[in-house]
Coordinates of all heavy atoms in Angstrom, one line a residue:
Chain A
L370 N 150.6 98.3 -221.0 CA 151.7 99.3 -221.2 C 153.0 98.7 -220.7 O 152.9 97.7 -220.0 CB 151.3 100.6 -220.3 CG 150.1 101.4 -220.7 CD1 149.7 102.4 -219.7 CD2 150.4 102.0 -222.1
P371 N 154.1 99.3 -221.0 CA 155.4 98.7 -220.6 C 155.5 98.6 -219.0 O 156.1 97.6 -218.5 CB 156.4 99.8 -221.0 CG 155.8 100.4 -222.2 CD 154.3 100.5 -221.9
G372 N 154.7 99.4 -218.3 CA 154.7 99.3 -216.8 C 154.1 98.0 -216.3 O 154.2 97.7 -215.1
A373 N 153.5 97.2 -217.2 CA 152.9 95.9 -216.8 C 154.0 95.0 -216.3 O 153.6 94.0 -215.6 CB 152.1 95.3 -217.9
S374 N 155.2 95.2 -216.5 CA 156.3 94.3 -216.0 C 156.2 94.3 -214.5 O 156.6 93.3 -213.8 CB 157.6 94.7 -216.5 OG 158.0 96.0 -216.0
A375 N 155.7 95.4 -213.9 CA 155.7 95.5 -212.4 C 154.8 94.4 -211.8 O 155.0 93.9 -210.7 CB 155.2 96.8 -212.0
S376 N 153.8 94.0 -212.5 CA 152.8 93.0 -212.0 C 153.1 91.6 -212.7 O 152.2 90.7 -212.7 CB 151.4 93.4 -212.3 OG 151.2 93.6 -213.7
G377 N 154.3 91.4 -213.2 CA 154.5 90.1 -214.0 C 153.7 90.1 -215.2 O 153.3 89.0 -215.6
Y378 N 153.5 91.2 -215.9 CA 152.7 91.3 -217.1 C 151.3 90.7 -216.9 O 150.9 89.8 -217.7 CB 153.5 90.6 -218.3 CG 154.7 91.3 -218.7 CD1 156.0 90.7 -218.5 CD2 154.7 92.6 -219.2 CE1 157.1 91.4 -218.8 CE2 155.9 93.3 -219.5 CZ 157.1 92.6 -219.3 OH 158.3 93.3 -219.7
S379 N 150.6 91.2 -215.9 CA 149.3 90.7 -215.6 C 148.4 91.8 -215.1 O 148.9 92.7 -214.4 CB 149.5 89.6 -214.5 OG 150.4 88.6 -214.8
V380 N 147.1 91.6 -215.3 CA 146.1 92.5 -214.7 C 145.0 91.6 -214.1 O 145.1 90.4 -214.2 CB 145.6 93.5 -215.7 CG1 146.7 94.4 -216.2 CG2 144.9 92.9 -216.9
N381 N 144.0 92.2 -213.7 CA 142.8 91.5 -213.1 C 142.1 90.7 -214.1 O 142.4 90.7 -215.3 CB 141.9 92.5 -212.4 CG 141.4 93.5 -213.4 OD1 142.2 94.2 -214.1 ND2 140.1 93.6 -213.5
H382 N 141.1 89.9 -213.7 CA 140.4 89.0 -214.6 C 138.9 89.4 -214.6 O 138.1 88.7 -215.3 CB 140.6 87.6 -214.3 CG 139.7 87.0 -213.2 ND1 139.6 87.7 -212.0 CD2 139.0 85.9 -213.1 CE1 138.9 86.9 -211.2 NE2 138.4 85.9 -211.8
G383 N 138.5 90.4 -213.8 CA 137.1 90.7 -213.7 C 136.9 91.8 -212.6 O 137.9 92.5 -212.3
A384 N 135.7 91.9 -212.1 CA 135.4 92.9 -211.1 C 135.8 92.4 -209.7 O 136.2 93.1 -208.8 CB 133.9 93.3 -211.1
G385 N 135.6 91.0 -209.5 CA 135.9 90.4 -208.2 C 134.7 90.4 -207.4 O 133.9 91.4 -207.3
R386 N 134.5 89.3 -206.7 CA 133.3 89.1 -205.8 C 133.4 90.0 -204.6 O 134.5 90.2 -204.0 CB 133.3 87.6 -205.4 CG 132.0 87.1 -204.9 CD 132.0 85.5 -204.9 NE 131.4 85.1 -206.1 CZ 130.1 85.1 -206.3 NH1 129.3 85.5 -205.4 NH2 129.6 84.6 -207.4
R387 N 132.3 90.6 -204.2 CA 132.2 91.4 -203.0 C 131.6 90.6 -201.8 O 131.8 91.0 -200.7 CB 131.4 92.6 -203.3 CG 131.2 93.6 -202.2 CD 131.1 95.0 -202.7 NE 130.0 95.2 -203.6 CZ 129.8 96.4 -204.3 NH1 130.7 97.3 -204.2 NH2 128.8 96.5 -205.0
M388 N 130.8 89.6 -202.1 CA 130.2 88.8 -201.0 C 130.1 87.4 -201.5 O 130.1 87.1 -202.7 CB 128.9 89.4 -200.6 CG 127.8 89.4 -201.6 SD 126.2 90.0 -200.9 CE 126.5 91.8 -201.1
S389 N 130.0 86.5 -200.6 CA 129.9 85.1 -200.9 C 128.5 84.8 -201.5 O 127.6 85.6 -201.4 CB 130.0 84.2 -199.6 OG 128.9 84.4 -198.8
R390 N 128.4 83.6 -202.1 CA 127.1 83.3 -202.8 C 126.0 83.2 -201.7 O 124.9 83.6 -201.9 CB 127.2 81.9 -203.5 CG 128.1 82.0 -204.7 CD 128.3 80.7 -205.4 NE 129.3 80.8 -206.5 CZ 129.1 81.3 -207.7 NH1 127.9 81.7 -208.0 NH2 130.0 81.4 -208.6
G391 N 126.3 82.6 -200.5 CA 125.3 82.5 -199.5 C 124.9 83.8 -199.0 O 123.7 84.1 -198.8
A392 N 125.8 84.7 -198.8 CA 125.5 86.1 -198.3 C 124.6 86.8 -199.3 O 123.7 87.5 -198.9 CB 126.8 86.9 -198.0
A393 N 124.9 86.6 -200.6 CA 124.1 87.2 -201.6 C 122.7 86.8 -201.6 O 121.7 87.6 -201.7 CB 124.7 86.9 -203.0
R394 N 122.5 85.5 -201.4 CA 121.1 85.0 -201.4 C 120.3 85.5 -200.2 O 119.1 85.6 -200.2 CB 121.1 83.4 -201.4 CG 121.6 82.9 -202.7 CD 121.3 81.4 -202.9 NE 122.2 80.8 -203.9 CZ 123.3 80.1 -203.5 NH1 123.7 80.0 -202.3 NH2 124.1 79.6 -204.5
K395 N 121.0 85.8 -199.1 CA 120.4 86.3 -197.9 C 120.1 87.8 -198.1 O 119.1 88.4 -197.6 CB 121.3 86.2 -196.7 CG 121.1 84.8 -196.0 CD 121.9 84.8 -194.6 CE 122.2 83.4 -194.2 NZ 123.3 83.4 -193.2
A396 N 121.0 88.5 -198.8 CA 120.9 90.0 -198.8 C 119.8 90.5 -199.8 O 119.3 91.6 -199.6 CB 122.3 90.6 -199.2
F397 N 119.6 89.7 -200.9 CA 118.7 90.2 -201.9 C 117.5 89.3 -202.2 O 117.7 88.1 -202.0 CB 119.4 90.5 -203.2 CG 120.7 91.2 -203.0 CD1 121.9 90.7 -203.2 CD2 120.6 92.6 -202.7 CE1 123.1 91.4 -203.0 CE2 121.8 93.3 -202.5 CZ 123.1 92.7 -202.7
T398 N 116.4 89.8 -202.6 CA 115.2 88.9 -203.0 C 115.2 88.7 -204.5 O 115.7 89.6 -205.2 CB 113.9 89.5 -202.5 OG1 113.6 90.7 -203.4 CG2 113.9 89.9 -201.1
Q399 N 114.7 87.6 -204.9 CA 114.6 87.3 -206.3 C 113.8 88.3 -207.1 O 114.2 88.8 -208.2 CB 114.0 85.9 -206.5 CG 114.0 85.4 -207.9 CD 115.5 85.0 -208.4 OE1 116.1 84.1 -207.8 NE2 116.0 85.8 -209.3
A400 N 112.7 88.8 -206.5 CA 111.8 89.7 -207.2 C 112.6 91.1 -207.4 O 112.5 91.6 -208.5 CB 110.5 89.9 -206.4
D401 N 113.3 91.5 -206.4 CA 114.0 92.8 -206.5 C 115.1 92.7 -207.6 O 115.3 93.7 -208.4 CB 114.6 93.2 -205.2 CG 113.6 93.7 -204.2 OD1 112.4 93.9 -204.6 OD2 113.9 93.9 -203.0
V402 N 115.8 91.6 -207.5 CA 116.9 91.5 -208.5 C 116.4 91.4 -209.9 O 116.9 92.1 -210.8 CB 117.8 90.3 -208.2 CG1 118.9 90.0 -209.2 CG2 118.4 90.4 -206.8
N403 N 115.4 90.6 -210.1 CA 114.8 90.5 -211.5 C 114.3 91.9 -212.0 O 114.5 92.2 -213.1 CB 113.6 89.6 -211.5 CG 114.0 88.1 -211.2 OD1 115.1 87.8 -211.2 ND2 113.0 87.3 -211.1
A404 N 113.7 92.6 -211.1 CA 113.1 93.9 -211.4 C 114.2 94.9 -211.8 O 114.1 95.7 -212.8 CB 112.3 94.5 -210.3
A405 N 115.3 94.9 -211.1 CA 116.5 95.8 -211.4 C 117.0 95.5 -212.8 O 117.3 96.5 -213.5 CB 117.6 95.6 -210.4
Y406 N 117.1 94.3 -213.2 CA 117.6 93.9 -214.5 C 116.5 94.3 -215.6 O 116.9 94.8 -216.7 CB 118.0 92.5 -214.6 CG 119.3 92.2 -214.1 CD1 119.5 92.2 -212.7 CD2 120.4 91.9 -214.9 CE1 120.8 92.0 -212.2 CE2 121.7 91.7 -214.4 CZ 121.8 91.7 -213.0 OH 123.1 91.5 -212.5
R407 N 115.3 94.1 -215.3 CA 114.2 94.4 -216.2 C 114.2 95.9 -216.5 O 114.1 96.3 -217.6 CB 112.8 93.9 -215.6 CG 111.8 93.6 -216.7 CD 110.6 92.8 -216.1 NE 110.1 93.4 -214.8 CZ 110.0 92.8 -213.7 NH1 110.4 91.5 -213.6 NH2 109.6 93.4 -212.6
D408 N 114.3 96.7 -215.4 CA 114.3 98.1 -215.5 C 115.5 98.6 -216.3 O 115.4 99.6 -217.0 CB 114.4 98.8 -214.1 CG 113.1 98.6 -213.4 OD1 112.1 98.1 -214.0 OD2 113.0 98.9 -212.1
A409 N 116.6 97.9 -216.2 CA 117.8 98.3 -217.0 C 117.7 97.8 -218.5 O 118.6 98.1 -219.3 CB 119.1 97.8 -216.3
G410 N 116.7 97.0 -218.8 CA 116.5 96.5 -220.1 C 117.4 95.3 -220.4 O 117.5 95.0 -221.6
I411 N 118.0 94.7 -219.4 CA 118.9 93.6 -219.6 C 118.1 92.3 -219.6 O 117.6 92.0 -218.5 CB 120.1 93.6 -218.6 CG1 120.9 94.9 -218.8 CG2 121.0 92.4 -218.8 CD1 121.8 95.2 -217.6
V412 N 118.1 91.6 -220.7 CA 117.4 90.3 -220.8 C 118.3 89.2 -220.2 O 119.4 89.0 -220.7 CB 117.0 90.0 -222.2 CG1 116.3 88.7 -222.3 CG2 116.0 91.1 -222.7
V413 N 117.8 88.5 -219.2 CA 118.6 87.5 -218.6 C 118.0 86.1 -218.9 O 116.8 85.9 -218.6 CB 118.7 87.7 -217.0 CG1 119.5 86.5 -216.4 CG2 119.4 89.0 -216.7
N414 N 118.8 85.2 -219.5 CA 118.4 83.9 -219.9 C 117.1 84.0 -220.8 O 117.0 85.0 -221.4 CB 118.3 83.0 -218.7 CG 119.6 82.6 -218.1 OD1 120.7 82.7 -218.8 ND2 119.7 82.2 -216.9
T415 N 116.3 83.0 -220.7 CA 115.1 83.2 -221.5 C 113.8 83.4 -220.7 O 112.7 83.6 -221.2 CB 114.8 81.9 -222.4 OG1 114.9 80.8 -221.5 CG2 116.0 81.8 -223.4
D416 N 114.0 83.5 -219.3 CA 112.9 83.6 -218.4 C 113.0 84.9 -217.5 O 112.1 85.1 -216.7 CB 112.7 82.4 -217.6 CG 114.0 82.0 -216.8 OD1 114.9 82.8 -216.8 OD2 114.0 81.0 -216.2
G417 N 114.1 85.6 -217.7 CA 114.2 86.8 -216.9 C 114.5 86.6 -215.4 O 114.6 87.5 -214.6
V418 N 114.8 85.3 -215.0 CA 115.2 85.0 -213.7 C 116.7 85.2 -213.5 O 117.5 84.4 -214.2 CB 114.7 83.6 -213.3 CG1 115.1 83.3 -211.9 CG2 113.2 83.5 -213.4
V419 N 117.1 86.1 -212.7 CA 118.5 86.4 -212.5 C 119.1 85.6 -211.4 O 118.6 85.7 -210.3 CB 118.7 87.9 -212.2 CG1 120.2 88.3 -212.1 CG2 118.0 88.8 -213.2
P420 N 120.2 84.8 -211.6 CA 120.8 84.1 -210.5 C 121.3 85.2 -209.5 O 122.2 86.0 -209.8 CB 122.0 83.4 -211.2 CG 121.6 83.2 -212.6 CD 120.8 84.4 -212.9
I421 N 120.8 85.1 -208.3 CA 121.1 86.2 -207.3 C 122.6 86.2 -207.0 O 123.1 87.3 -206.9 CB 120.2 86.0 -206.0 CG1 118.7 86.2 -206.3 CG2 120.7 86.9 -204.9 CD1 117.8 85.8 -205.1
D422 N 123.2 85.1 -206.8 CA 124.6 85.0 -206.4 C 125.5 85.4 -207.6 O 126.7 85.4 -207.4 CB 124.9 83.6 -205.8 CG 124.6 82.5 -206.8 OD1 124.1 82.8 -207.9 OD2 124.9 81.3 -206.4
E423 N 125.0 85.7 -208.7 CA 125.8 86.2 -209.8 C 125.4 87.6 -210.2 O 125.7 88.1 -211.3 CB 125.6 85.3 -211.0 CG 126.4 84.0 -210.9 CD 127.9 84.2 -210.8 OE1 128.4 85.1 -211.6 OE2 128.6 83.5 -210.1
S424 N 124.5 88.3 -209.4 CA 124.0 89.6 -209.9 C 124.9 90.8 -209.5 O 125.9 90.6 -208.8 CB 122.6 89.8 -209.2 OG 122.7 89.8 -207.8

Side-chain angles (χ1 to χ4, degrees):
Chain A
L370 294 170
S374 63
S376 59
Y378 295 111
S379 309
V380 298
N381 58 307
H382 81 312
R386 197 163 265 285
R387 178 147 61 189
M388 65 178 84
S389 71
R390 293 180 186 278
R394 292 193 202 99
K395 273 189 205 163
F397 310 113
T398 70
Q399 188 69 64
D401 286 351
V402 174
N403 292 352
Y406 280 71
R407 206 168 48 235
D408 291 351
I411 300 167
V412 175
V413 178
N414 289 336
T415 53
D416 56 7
V418 178
V419 183
I421 293 174
D422 54 0
E423 285 294 323
S424 63

